Amino acid sequence: TKLEKVMGRPIYRNDFTIYVTTFPRGPYNYSEGYMFDYYGWNNPIMGFMHELCHFQFIHYWRQNPDSAVSKLKNAQFEWLKESLTMI
């Protein structure tokens, strides 16, 4: 609910698959709706929220041809996607 309020958009899908990993990174696959959550993070819910922010950003802005974000080069998009998730 909080993420929907912050982004002004509903969560774009109803199901996600979360894999627990010992690798301290959070790789994900937007198309298939899965992500990895590092078991050593203090707050796994925040890890999920971080990755979900990526998914939301890709879905509502990168995939939207009317959005300026859809016109960015890949490197620019990746920089913006990570920056906005940290905010």
Side-chain angles (χ1 to χ4, degrees):
T1 302
K2 287 184 181 187
L3 186 59
E4 288 180 346
K5 187 174 182 179
V6 167
M7 294 192 129
R9 303 279 195 286
I11 302 302
Y12 81 102
R13 66 184 293 151
N14 295 322
D15 63 326
F16 296 93
T17 301
I18 302 173
Y19 298 101
V20 178
T21 181
T22 59
F23 184 65
R25 301 252 336 212
Y28 60 86
N29 183 300
Y30 163 78
S31 301
E32 296 182 24
Y34 71 77
M35 61 189 76
F36 287 78
D37 205 353
Y38 173 53
Y39 86 100
W41 285 329
N42 292 332
N43 189 336
I45 298 299
M46 290 306 294
F48 171 71
M49 296 297 288
H50 175 90
E51 302 309 332
L52 185 55
C53 283
H54 288 330
F55 285 10
Q56 291 286 99
F57 189 65
I58 292 167
H59 182 77
Y60 285 110
W61 289 277
R62 183 63 164 179
Q63 302 291 334
N64 178 355
D66 295 328
S67 168
V69 172
S70 71
K71 297 163 183 57
L72 295 174
K73 294 178 181 177
N74 282 341
Q76 294 170 318
F77 169 74
E78 291 297 325
W79 184 88
L80 181 60
K81 178 185 65 153
E82 288 297 330
S83 299
L84 291 176
T85 303
M86 295 307 294
I87 292 171

